[in-house]
Amino acid sequence: MITLEHSAIAAGSSEAITGDMLAGLAATFAVAFVFARLTQRIRQPAVMGEIIAGLALGPSLLGLLPGDPVEALFPAQARPVLQALSQLGLVLFMFGIGYELDFARLRGAGRRVTLVSLGSMVLPLALGAGLAVLLFPLYDKSQLSTDGMLAPAIFLGAAMSITAFPVLARIIAENGMQRSRLGAMALACAAVQDFLAWCVLAVAVAVATASGPWPLARMVLETGLFLAILRYAVRPGLRRLLAPQRARAVGSPLIHAVLVTGLLVSAWATDEIGLHAVFGAFAFGASIPRRRIEERAPQVVERIEQTSLFLLPVFFTVTGLSVDIGRLGGHGLIITVAAVLVACAGKFVGAAASARLAGASGAESVTLGVLLNARGLTELVILNVGLGLGVLDNRVFSAMVVMALVTTFMTGPLLQYLGFHEGLRPAPAPRKNAENSV
């Protein structure tokens, strides 16, 4: 009798959680759609509207209304389910980022791409680490998982050095620059520096999670073994699976199952190692034989990417629930202003100065600095990793989210301004499928 009663209570609780989850998802998708359309009207990528929608559904805007509507719409019991969905969307998204990282684009790119990539990463990395050291006394130590400032400094430096490759690609396409030398160079530089920034981020995660020299060494060895398996076992295996002579035996359903299983297992593996799950999904996406996938079953990767786009608004909402801009306070405002200034100065000066030294014109150098300053969605991914690991407190996290929005929103208007005054105005680009861009 007691067992039946407990089962009935558990079933009722499960049904309540399901209902709360469905209501929260409905609100998330509806508000994200509205904000995405509004941002597209002001010539911003749709994903920026989805990010703002996530913030609006949290304490920063919805929480200002009476009656605690945030808790009513996203009750505590439903948030773990939403968190799980957001992490699934994030893992699928990072697989797509790794897949789109075309190393062939970097071959023969020359000295200019190398210099601009390093310059636009090293300077923001150094400035970000220095900012973390200066702001460390203002951190809420009760929210940190480490007593030292090494992990927060490395992490903030990596966060400052990132460029949102997907958002940058969308901005370049919407301004008709995808076929220009400058557009190709910006994408190549973003690919190089993002790859290096993720490597630095992996070091920061290892430092934050390892409890001593041996656990850190073990984590490095396991990560190296994981990457070696991808390079020397998984990639050749996929190439054999996708070989032309197996065309009749292998269909897209099998390829879809293999890729989804592989990315999820890779995400699980890096999570078990002690790194975040996004590293595994990213590495698996980068290890896939891209040319053969495009020849045999390009629709498979498109399906995975469409699923990630469907779930990303949930990730933005979960992020927004941790951001309360109204509670930044005086110190929080100082941190926000400092983060924006350091982020812009580091990226712009680092990219523009190194491009100028490499022989680019003044107009090209300035335009590259503006383009590579966009951070967007990739920045939010990194910030969520840092918050989960306890190397950022909520106030610094909120300030960095604002920085990501500001640096991305300013890219489009500044690009239009430079195009008008420097003779670099690009041809208008088609807006086909703009709502699906990230």
Side-chain angles (χ1 to χ4, degrees):
M1 186 70 178
I2 294 177
T3 303
L4 291 175
E5 183 179 349
H6 286 175
S7 298
I9 293 174
S13 175
S14 177
E15 290 177 359
I17 293 175
T18 301
D20 292 334
M21 177 198 67
L22 294 176
L25 289 176
T28 295
F29 294 133
V31 175
F33 177 83
V34 172
F35 275 79
R37 289 299 178 270
L38 291 176
T39 53
Q40 284 181 310
R41 288 182 178 273
I42 58 173
R43 298 183 62 81
Q44 292 285 349
V47 69
M48 296 308 298
E50 295 177 352
I51 294 174
I52 296 173
L55 297 178
L57 288 171
S60 298
L61 184 58
L62 187 62
L64 300 178
L65 301 178
D68 200 3
V70 176
E71 179 63 27
L73 194 57
F74 305 103
Q77 62 181 1
R79 293 190 185 187
V81 181
L82 295 175
Q83 174 71 19
L85 288 174
S86 74
Q87 291 303 304
L88 176 59
L90 191 57
V91 165
L92 296 176
F93 171 75
M94 290 308 300
F95 162 80
I97 296 298
Y99 177 80
E100 294 295 339
L101 186 61
D102 187 4
F103 292 100
R105 184 192 296 271
L106 308 180
R107 294 171 186 166
R111 185 172 64 97
R112 186 176 299 180
V113 169
T114 302
L115 285 176
V116 175
S117 301
L118 294 177
S120 58
M121 180 190 170
V122 172
L123 183 58
L125 180 67
L127 293 179
L131 180 64
V133 173
L134 291 176
L135 296 178
F136 194 71
L138 301 179
Y139 278 55
D140 185 350
K141 305 303 189 297
S142 65
Q143 298 179 15
L144 300 183
S145 62
T146 176
D147 295 329
M149 64 176 67
L150 178 60
I154 297 176
F155 190 89
L156 200 63
M160 288 290 187
S161 64
I162 204 74
T163 295
F165 186 88
V167 174
L168 177 62
R170 185 68 250 172
I171 292 174
I172 287 175
E174 289 190 346
N175 285 274
M177 300 176 64
Q178 66 270 32
R179 297 183 182 275
S180 68
R181 183 184 65 173
L182 193 62
M185 182 177 175
L187 289 174
C189 292
V192 172
Q193 63 186 254
D194 276 13
F195 176 77
L196 296 175
W198 281 103
C199 293
V200 175
L201 184 63
V203 172
V205 172
V207 171
T209 55
S211 56
W214 166 240
L216 180 60
R218 180 183 60 80
M219 189 180 298
V220 171
L221 290 174
E222 290 177 347
T223 302
L225 177 61
F226 168 74
L227 295 176
I229 292 173
L230 287 181
R231 175 65 179 84
Y232 296 106
V234 173
R235 183 176 175 86
L238 288 174
R239 290 182 65 87
R240 285 193 293 270
L241 178 68
L242 299 169
Q245 60 268 26
R246 299 176 61 91
R248 294 183 179 180
V250 178
S252 61
L254 176 59
I255 297 174
H256 187 273
V258 169
L259 293 187
V260 171
T261 302
L263 77 91
L264 293 177
V265 169
S266 298
W268 167 82
T270 52
D271 190 61
E272 286 293 307
I273 289 172
L275 300 175
H276 198 276
V278 297
F279 291 101
F282 175 82
F284 181 79
S287 68
I288 287 177
R290 178 173 174 173
R291 182 177 60 83
R292 293 200 175 180
I293 287 287
E294 291 177 348
E295 291 174 352
R296 295 288 312 281
Q299 70 278 8
V300 170
V301 175
E302 291 176 6
R303 287 194 211 114
I304 297 175
E305 291 179 340
Q306 288 299 319
T307 304
S308 74
L309 294 179
F310 175 75
L311 291 174
L312 278 178
V314 185
F315 168 70
F316 300 141
T317 297
V318 171
T319 300
L321 293 175
S322 302
V323 176
D324 190 354
I325 298 176
R327 291 189 177 182
L328 282 174
H331 286 162
L333 182 60
I334 293 174
I335 293 173
T336 303
V337 173
V340 172
L341 292 177
V342 168
C344 293
K347 273 292 182 184
F348 180 79
V349 174
S354 55
R356 193 73 173 131
L357 288 174
S361 68
E364 289 177 331
S365 301
V366 171
T367 303
L368 275 174
V370 170
L371 286 170
L372 294 178
N373 193 39
R375 286 168 174 85
L377 172 56
T378 312
E379 183 75 20
L380 294 188
V381 175
I382 290 180
L383 295 178
N384 273 272
V385 173
L387 184 65
L389 291 173
V391 295
L392 295 177
D393 63 7
N394 284 325
R395 187 166 54 185
V396 175
F397 174 79
S398 299
M400 292 292 288
V401 169
V402 173
M403 180 275 292
L405 289 173
V406 171
T407 55
T408 306
F409 265 113
M410 66 191 300
T411 302
L414 284 177
L415 197 60
Q416 294 295 320
Y417 178 85
L418 289 172
F420 181 79
H421 287 279
E422 302 290 349
L424 296 173
R425 178 179 293 280
R431 300 183 62 82
K432 180 180 179 181
N433 294 330
E435 67 273 9
N436 293 328
S437 65
V438 293

Short mmCIF file of all heavy atoms in Angstrom, two decimals, residues 178-235:
data_model
loop_
_atom_site.label_atom_id
_atom_site.label_comp_id
_atom_site.label_asym_id
_atom_site.label_seq_id
_atom_site.Cartn_x
_atom_site.Cartn_y
_atom_site.Cartn_z
N GLN A 178 31.75 37.33 -48.28
CA GLN A 178 32.20 35.95 -48.18
C GLN A 178 33.15 35.54 -49.30
O GLN A 178 33.95 34.62 -49.14
CB GLN A 178 31.01 34.98 -48.12
CG GLN A 178 30.16 34.94 -49.39
CD GLN A 178 29.05 35.96 -49.36
OE1 GLN A 178 29.20 37.03 -48.78
NE2 GLN A 178 27.94 35.64 -50.01
N ARG A 179 33.08 36.21 -50.46
CA ARG A 179 33.96 35.88 -51.57
C ARG A 179 35.14 36.84 -51.69
O ARG A 179 35.96 36.71 -52.60
CB ARG A 179 33.17 35.87 -52.88
CG ARG A 179 32.08 34.82 -52.93
CD ARG A 179 31.38 34.80 -54.28
NE ARG A 179 30.32 33.81 -54.30
CZ ARG A 179 30.48 32.52 -54.57
NH1 ARG A 179 31.68 32.08 -54.85
NH2 ARG A 179 29.46 31.69 -54.56
N SER A 180 35.21 37.80 -50.79
CA SER A 180 36.31 38.77 -50.85
C SER A 180 37.53 38.23 -50.12
O SER A 180 37.44 37.35 -49.26
CB SER A 180 35.88 40.09 -50.21
OG SER A 180 35.70 39.94 -48.82
N ARG A 181 38.69 38.78 -50.46
CA ARG A 181 39.92 38.36 -49.79
C ARG A 181 39.88 38.71 -48.31
O ARG A 181 40.33 37.94 -47.46
CB ARG A 181 41.12 39.06 -50.46
CG ARG A 181 42.46 38.64 -49.88
CD ARG A 181 43.59 39.42 -50.49
NE ARG A 181 43.50 40.83 -50.14
CZ ARG A 181 44.45 41.73 -50.44
NH1 ARG A 181 45.53 41.35 -51.09
NH2 ARG A 181 44.30 42.99 -50.10
N LEU A 182 39.32 39.89 -48.00
CA LEU A 182 39.25 40.32 -46.61
C LEU A 182 38.33 39.42 -45.79
O LEU A 182 38.65 39.06 -44.66
CB LEU A 182 38.76 41.77 -46.55
CG LEU A 182 38.91 42.50 -45.21
CD1 LEU A 182 40.38 42.59 -44.83
CD2 LEU A 182 38.31 43.89 -45.29
N GLY A 183 37.19 39.04 -46.37
CA GLY A 183 36.28 38.15 -45.66
C GLY A 183 36.89 36.79 -45.42
O GLY A 183 36.78 36.23 -44.32
N ALA A 184 37.56 36.24 -46.46
CA ALA A 184 38.21 34.94 -46.30
C ALA A 184 39.32 35.00 -45.26
O ALA A 184 39.51 34.07 -44.47
CB ALA A 184 38.76 34.47 -47.64
N MET A 185 40.05 36.10 -45.24
CA MET A 185 41.14 36.26 -44.28
C MET A 185 40.60 36.35 -42.86
O MET A 185 41.16 35.75 -41.94
CB MET A 185 41.94 37.51 -44.62
CG MET A 185 43.14 37.74 -43.72
SD MET A 185 44.09 39.19 -44.23
CE MET A 185 45.29 39.27 -42.91
N ALA A 186 39.50 37.09 -42.69
CA ALA A 186 38.90 37.20 -41.35
C ALA A 186 38.45 35.84 -40.84
O ALA A 186 38.66 35.49 -39.67
CB ALA A 186 37.73 38.18 -41.39
N LEU A 187 37.83 35.04 -41.71
CA LEU A 187 37.37 33.71 -41.30
C LEU A 187 38.55 32.80 -40.99
O LEU A 187 38.50 32.00 -40.04
CB LEU A 187 36.50 33.10 -42.39
CG LEU A 187 35.12 33.74 -42.58
CD1 LEU A 187 34.41 33.14 -43.79
CD2 LEU A 187 34.26 33.55 -41.33
N ALA A 188 39.61 32.88 -41.80
CA ALA A 188 40.79 32.05 -41.55
C ALA A 188 41.42 32.43 -40.21
O ALA A 188 41.80 31.55 -39.42
CB ALA A 188 41.79 32.22 -42.69
N CYS A 189 41.54 33.73 -39.95
CA CYS A 189 42.12 34.19 -38.67
C CYS A 189 41.25 33.73 -37.49
O CYS A 189 41.77 33.29 -36.45
CB CYS A 189 42.24 35.70 -38.66
SG CYS A 189 43.47 36.36 -39.81
N ALA A 190 39.94 33.84 -37.65
CA ALA A 190 39.04 33.43 -36.58
C ALA A 190 39.17 31.94 -36.31
O ALA A 190 39.12 31.49 -35.14
CB ALA A 190 37.59 33.78 -36.93
N ALA A 191 39.32 31.15 -37.36
CA ALA A 191 39.46 29.70 -37.19
C ALA A 191 40.73 29.37 -36.42
O ALA A 191 40.73 28.53 -35.50
CB ALA A 191 39.46 29.01 -38.55
N VAL A 192 41.85 30.02 -36.79
CA VAL A 192 43.13 29.75 -36.11
C VAL A 192 43.06 30.14 -34.66
O VAL A 192 43.39 29.35 -33.76
CB VAL A 192 44.27 30.49 -36.83
CG1 VAL A 192 45.56 30.38 -36.01
CG2 VAL A 192 44.49 29.94 -38.22
N GLN A 193 42.61 31.37 -34.39
CA GLN A 193 42.64 31.83 -33.00
C GLN A 193 41.62 31.13 -32.13
O GLN A 193 41.85 30.92 -30.94
CB GLN A 193 42.44 33.35 -32.94
CG GLN A 193 41.10 33.83 -33.45
CD GLN A 193 41.03 35.34 -33.48
OE1 GLN A 193 40.38 35.96 -32.66
NE2 GLN A 193 41.70 35.94 -34.44
N ASP A 194 40.47 30.73 -32.71
CA ASP A 194 39.51 29.99 -31.91
C ASP A 194 40.06 28.61 -31.53
O ASP A 194 39.85 28.13 -30.42
CB ASP A 194 38.19 29.84 -32.66
CG ASP A 194 37.30 31.07 -32.49
OD1 ASP A 194 37.82 32.09 -32.01
OD2 ASP A 194 36.11 31.00 -32.84
N PHE A 195 40.77 27.99 -32.48
CA PHE A 195 41.39 26.70 -32.16
C PHE A 195 42.40 26.86 -31.03
O PHE A 195 42.40 26.08 -30.07
CB PHE A 195 42.06 26.14 -33.41
CG PHE A 195 42.81 24.86 -33.17
CD1 PHE A 195 42.14 23.66 -33.03
CD2 PHE A 195 44.19 24.87 -33.08
CE1 PHE A 195 42.83 22.48 -32.80
CE2 PHE A 195 44.89 23.70 -32.85
CZ PHE A 195 44.20 22.50 -32.70
N LEU A 196 43.23 27.89 -31.11
CA LEU A 196 44.21 28.13 -30.06
C LEU A 196 43.54 28.51 -28.74
O LEU A 196 43.97 28.09 -27.66
CB LEU A 196 45.18 29.24 -30.50
CG LEU A 196 46.06 28.93 -31.71
CD1 LEU A 196 46.88 30.16 -32.10
CD2 LEU A 196 46.97 27.75 -31.42
N ALA A 197 42.46 29.30 -28.83
CA ALA A 197 41.76 29.72 -27.61
C ALA A 197 41.13 28.52 -26.90
O ALA A 197 41.13 28.45 -25.67
CB ALA A 197 40.70 30.76 -27.95
N TRP A 198 40.59 27.58 -27.67
CA TRP A 198 40.03 26.37 -27.05
C TRP A 198 41.11 25.54 -26.40
O TRP A 198 40.88 24.89 -25.36
CB TRP A 198 39.25 25.56 -28.07
CG TRP A 198 37.88 26.12 -28.33
CD1 TRP A 198 37.49 26.86 -29.41
CD2 TRP A 198 36.74 26.01 -27.49
NE1 TRP A 198 36.17 27.22 -29.28
CE2 TRP A 198 35.68 26.71 -28.12
CE3 TRP A 198 36.49 25.39 -26.27
CZ2 TRP A 198 34.41 26.81 -27.57
CZ3 TRP A 198 35.23 25.48 -25.70
CH2 TRP A 198 34.21 26.19 -26.35
N CYS A 199 42.31 25.53 -26.96
CA CYS A 199 43.42 24.84 -26.33
C CYS A 199 43.78 25.50 -24.99
O CYS A 199 44.00 24.81 -23.98
CB CYS A 199 44.65 24.83 -27.25
SG CYS A 199 44.45 23.84 -28.75
N VAL A 200 43.83 26.83 -24.98
CA VAL A 200 44.11 27.56 -23.73
C VAL A 200 42.99 27.31 -22.72
O VAL A 200 43.24 27.13 -21.52
CB VAL A 200 44.27 29.07 -24.01
CG1 VAL A 200 44.42 29.84 -22.71
CG2 VAL A 200 45.47 29.31 -24.92
N LEU A 201 41.75 27.30 -23.21
CA LEU A 201 40.63 27.05 -22.32
C LEU A 201 40.72 25.66 -21.70
O LEU A 201 40.40 25.47 -20.52
CB LEU A 201 39.32 27.19 -23.09
CG LEU A 201 38.03 27.03 -22.28
CD1 LEU A 201 37.93 28.13 -21.24
CD2 LEU A 201 36.82 27.06 -23.20
N ALA A 202 41.16 24.68 -22.48
CA ALA A 202 41.34 23.33 -21.94
C ALA A 202 42.38 23.33 -20.82
O ALA A 202 42.21 22.62 -19.81
CB ALA A 202 41.76 22.37 -23.06
N VAL A 203 43.44 24.12 -20.98
CA VAL A 203 44.44 24.25 -19.92
C VAL A 203 43.81 24.86 -18.67
O VAL A 203 44.04 24.38 -17.54
CB VAL A 203 45.63 25.10 -20.40
CG1 VAL A 203 46.58 25.39 -19.24
CG2 VAL A 203 46.36 24.41 -21.54
N ALA A 204 43.00 25.90 -18.85
CA ALA A 204 42.34 26.54 -17.70
C ALA A 204 41.42 25.57 -16.98
O ALA A 204 41.38 25.53 -15.74
CB ALA A 204 41.55 27.77 -18.17
N VAL A 205 40.68 24.78 -17.75
CA VAL A 205 39.79 23.79 -17.14
C VAL A 205 40.59 22.75 -16.38
O VAL A 205 40.22 22.35 -15.26
CB VAL A 205 38.91 23.11 -18.22
CG1 VAL A 205 38.12 21.95 -17.63
CG2 VAL A 205 37.96 24.13 -18.84
N ALA A 206 41.70 22.30 -16.96
CA ALA A 206 42.54 21.31 -16.29
C ALA A 206 43.11 21.85 -14.98
O ALA A 206 43.13 21.17 -13.96
CB ALA A 206 43.67 20.87 -17.22
N VAL A 207 43.56 23.10 -15.00
CA VAL A 207 44.10 23.72 -13.80
C VAL A 207 43.02 23.87 -12.74
O VAL A 207 43.26 23.65 -11.53
CB VAL A 207 44.72 25.09 -14.13
CG1 VAL A 207 45.09 25.85 -12.87
CG2 VAL A 207 45.95 24.91 -15.02
N ALA A 208 41.80 24.21 -13.15
CA ALA A 208 40.73 24.44 -12.21
C ALA A 208 40.20 23.15 -11.58
O ALA A 208 39.78 23.14 -10.42
CB ALA A 208 39.57 25.17 -12.89
N THR A 209 40.23 22.06 -12.34
CA THR A 209 39.61 20.82 -11.86
C THR A 209 40.61 19.86 -11.24
O THR A 209 40.22 18.99 -10.45
CB THR A 209 38.87 20.11 -13.00
OG1 THR A 209 39.77 19.90 -14.10
CG2 THR A 209 37.70 20.96 -13.48
N ALA A 210 41.88 19.96 -11.61
CA ALA A 210 42.88 19.03 -11.06
C ALA A 210 43.26 19.46 -9.65
O ALA A 210 43.42 20.65 -9.37
CB ALA A 210 44.11 19.00 -11.96
N SER A 211 43.41 18.50 -8.76
CA SER A 211 43.70 18.80 -7.36
C SER A 211 45.19 18.73 -7.04
O SER A 211 45.59 18.87 -5.88
CB SER A 211 42.95 17.82 -6.45
OG SER A 211 43.28 16.47 -6.79
N GLY A 212 46.02 18.48 -8.02
CA GLY A 212 47.45 18.40 -7.78
C GLY A 212 48.18 18.10 -9.07
O GLY A 212 47.58 17.97 -10.13
N PRO A 213 49.52 17.96 -9.00
CA PRO A 213 50.29 17.73 -10.23
C PRO A 213 49.97 16.39 -10.89
O PRO A 213 49.91 16.31 -12.12
CB PRO A 213 51.75 17.78 -9.75
CG PRO A 213 51.68 17.57 -8.27
CD PRO A 213 50.39 18.14 -7.83
N TRP A 214 49.77 15.32 -10.11
CA TRP A 214 49.48 14.03 -10.74
C TRP A 214 48.12 14.02 -11.42
O TRP A 214 48.02 13.57 -12.57
CB TRP A 214 49.58 12.90 -9.73
CG TRP A 214 48.97 11.62 -10.23
CD1 TRP A 214 47.95 10.92 -9.70
CD2 TRP A 214 49.35 10.92 -11.43
NE1 TRP A 214 47.64 9.83 -10.46
CE2 TRP A 214 48.48 9.80 -11.53
CE3 TRP A 214 50.30 11.11 -12.43
CZ2 TRP A 214 48.57 8.88 -12.57
CZ3 TRP A 214 50.38 10.20 -13.46
CH2 TRP A 214 49.53 9.10 -13.55
N PRO A 215 47.02 14.48 -10.77
CA PRO A 215 45.74 14.53 -11.48
C PRO A 215 45.81 15.37 -12.75
O PRO A 215 45.18 15.04 -13.76
CB PRO A 215 44.78 15.13 -10.45
CG PRO A 215 45.37 14.77 -9.13
CD PRO A 215 46.85 14.84 -9.34
N LEU A 216 46.59 16.48 -12.70
CA LEU A 216 46.73 17.32 -13.89
C LEU A 216 47.47 16.56 -14.99
O LEU A 216 47.07 16.59 -16.16
CB LEU A 216 47.48 18.60 -13.53
CG LEU A 216 47.72 19.59 -14.68
CD1 LEU A 216 46.40 20.05 -15.27
CD2 LEU A 216 48.53 20.78 -14.18
N ALA A 217 48.54 15.87 -14.61
CA ALA A 217 49.29 15.09 -15.61
C ALA A 217 48.43 13.97 -16.17
O ALA A 217 48.47 13.69 -17.38
CB ALA A 217 50.56 14.53 -14.96
N ARG A 218 47.66 13.31 -15.31
CA ARG A 218 46.77 12.25 -15.78
C ARG A 218 45.74 12.78 -16.77
O ARG A 218 45.45 12.16 -17.79
CB ARG A 218 46.06 11.60 -14.59
CG ARG A 218 45.10 10.47 -14.99
CD ARG A 218 44.39 9.92 -13.76
NE ARG A 218 43.63 10.96 -13.10
CZ ARG A 218 42.42 11.38 -13.49
NH1 ARG A 218 41.86 10.84 -14.57
NH2 ARG A 218 41.79 12.32 -12.83
N MET A 219 45.20 13.96 -16.47
CA MET A 219 44.22 14.57 -17.35
C MET A 219 44.84 14.89 -18.72
O MET A 219 44.22 14.66 -19.76
CB MET A 219 43.66 15.85 -16.71
CG MET A 219 42.48 16.45 -17.43
SD MET A 219 41.89 17.95 -16.59
CE MET A 219 41.41 17.27 -15.01
N VAL A 220 46.06 15.40 -18.71
CA VAL A 220 46.76 15.71 -19.96
C VAL A 220 46.99 14.43 -20.76
O VAL A 220 46.78 14.38 -21.98
CB VAL A 220 48.08 16.43 -19.68
CG1 VAL A 220 48.90 16.57 -20.96
CG2 VAL A 220 47.82 17.81 -19.07
N LEU A 221 47.43 13.37 -20.10
CA LEU A 221 47.69 12.09 -20.78
C LEU A 221 46.41 11.51 -21.36
O LEU A 221 46.39 11.03 -22.50
CB LEU A 221 48.34 11.11 -19.81
CG LEU A 221 49.78 11.42 -19.39
CD1 LEU A 221 50.24 10.43 -18.32
CD2 LEU A 221 50.72 11.40 -20.58
N GLU A 222 45.33 11.54 -20.59
CA GLU A 222 44.06 10.99 -21.07
C GLU A 222 43.52 11.81 -22.24
O GLU A 222 42.95 11.25 -23.18
CB GLU A 222 43.04 10.95 -19.93
CG GLU A 222 43.38 9.90 -18.87
CD GLU A 222 42.39 9.93 -17.72
OE1 GLU A 222 41.60 10.91 -17.63
OE2 GLU A 222 42.39 8.98 -16.91
N THR A 223 43.71 13.13 -22.18
CA THR A 223 43.27 13.98 -23.29
C THR A 223 44.08 13.67 -24.55
O THR A 223 43.53 13.58 -25.65
CB THR A 223 43.42 15.46 -22.93
OG1 THR A 223 42.65 15.74 -21.74
CG2 THR A 223 42.92 16.35 -24.05
N GLY A 224 45.39 13.51 -24.38
CA GLY A 224 46.22 13.15 -25.52
C GLY A 224 45.82 11.81 -26.11
O GLY A 224 45.79 11.65 -27.34
N LEU A 225 45.51 10.83 -25.25
CA LEU A 225 45.06 9.53 -25.73
C LEU A 225 43.74 9.65 -26.49
O LEU A 225 43.55 9.03 -27.55
CB LEU A 225 44.91 8.57 -24.55
CG LEU A 225 44.38 7.16 -24.89
CD1 LEU A 225 45.33 6.44 -25.84
CD2 LEU A 225 44.18 6.36 -23.60
N PHE A 226 42.83 10.46 -25.96
CA PHE A 226 41.53 10.66 -26.61
C PHE A 226 41.72 11.26 -28.01
O PHE A 226 41.12 10.80 -28.98
CB PHE A 226 40.67 11.57 -25.74
CG PHE A 226 39.44 12.09 -26.42
CD1 PHE A 226 38.34 11.26 -26.65
CD2 PHE A 226 39.36 13.41 -26.84
CE1 PHE A 226 37.21 11.73 -27.28
CE2 PHE A 226 38.22 13.90 -27.46
CZ PHE A 226 37.15 13.06 -27.69
N LEU A 227 42.56 12.29 -28.11
CA LEU A 227 42.80 12.92 -29.41
C LEU A 227 43.50 11.96 -30.38
O LEU A 227 43.21 11.97 -31.58
CB LEU A 227 43.63 14.19 -29.23
CG LEU A 227 42.96 15.32 -28.45
CD1 LEU A 227 43.92 16.49 -28.25
CD2 LEU A 227 41.69 15.80 -29.16
N ALA A 228 44.40 11.14 -29.85
CA ALA A 228 45.08 10.17 -30.70
C ALA A 228 44.10 9.13 -31.25
O ALA A 228 44.19 8.73 -32.42
CB ALA A 228 46.19 9.48 -29.92
N ILE A 229 43.15 8.71 -30.42
CA ILE A 229 42.13 7.75 -30.88
C ILE A 229 41.29 8.37 -31.99
O ILE A 229 40.98 7.72 -33.00
CB ILE A 229 41.25 7.30 -29.70
CG1 ILE A 229 42.06 6.44 -28.73
CG2 ILE A 229 40.03 6.53 -30.19
CD1 ILE A 229 41.32 6.09 -27.46
N LEU A 230 40.91 9.64 -31.82
CA LEU A 230 40.15 10.31 -32.87
C LEU A 230 40.95 10.39 -34.17
O LEU A 230 40.42 10.15 -35.25
CB LEU A 230 39.75 11.71 -32.41
CG LEU A 230 38.66 11.85 -31.35
CD1 LEU A 230 38.39 13.32 -31.06
CD2 LEU A 230 37.36 11.17 -31.80
N ARG A 231 42.22 10.72 -34.03
CA ARG A 231 43.05 10.95 -35.22
C ARG A 231 43.42 9.66 -35.94
O ARG A 231 43.36 9.59 -37.18
CB ARG A 231 44.34 11.70 -34.81
CG ARG A 231 45.35 11.90 -35.93
CD ARG A 231 44.79 12.81 -37.01
NE ARG A 231 45.77 13.02 -38.07
CZ ARG A 231 45.97 12.19 -39.10
NH1 ARG A 231 45.25 11.07 -39.21
NH2 ARG A 231 46.87 12.46 -40.01
N TYR A 232 43.77 8.63 -35.17
CA TYR A 232 44.33 7.45 -35.81
C TYR A 232 43.39 6.25 -35.84
O TYR A 232 43.72 5.22 -36.45
CB TYR A 232 45.63 7.05 -35.09
CG TYR A 232 46.70 8.10 -35.21
CD1 TYR A 232 47.03 8.91 -34.13
CD2 TYR A 232 47.35 8.31 -36.42
CE1 TYR A 232 48.01 9.89 -34.23
CE2 TYR A 232 48.34 9.29 -36.55
CZ TYR A 232 48.66 10.08 -35.45
OH TYR A 232 49.61 11.04 -35.57
N ALA A 233 42.22 6.36 -35.21
CA ALA A 233 41.26 5.25 -35.25
C ALA A 233 39.91 5.70 -35.79
O ALA A 233 39.38 5.11 -36.73
CB ALA A 233 41.11 4.63 -33.85
N VAL A 234 39.36 6.75 -35.20
CA VAL A 234 38.01 7.18 -35.58
C VAL A 234 38.00 7.75 -36.99
O VAL A 234 37.16 7.36 -37.82
CB VAL A 234 37.46 8.20 -34.57
CG1 VAL A 234 36.13 8.76 -35.06
CG2 VAL A 234 37.29 7.55 -33.20
N ARG A 235 38.90 8.66 -37.28
CA ARG A 235 38.90 9.29 -38.61
C ARG A 235 39.14 8.27 -39.73
O ARG A 235 38.40 8.24 -40.71
CB ARG A 235 39.94 10.41 -38.66
CG ARG A 235 39.97 11.17 -39.98
CD ARG A 235 40.96 12.32 -39.94
NE ARG A 235 41.07 12.97 -41.23
CZ ARG A 235 40.26 13.94 -41.66
NH1 ARG A 235 39.27 14.35 -40.90
NH2 ARG A 235 40.44 14.49 -42.85
#
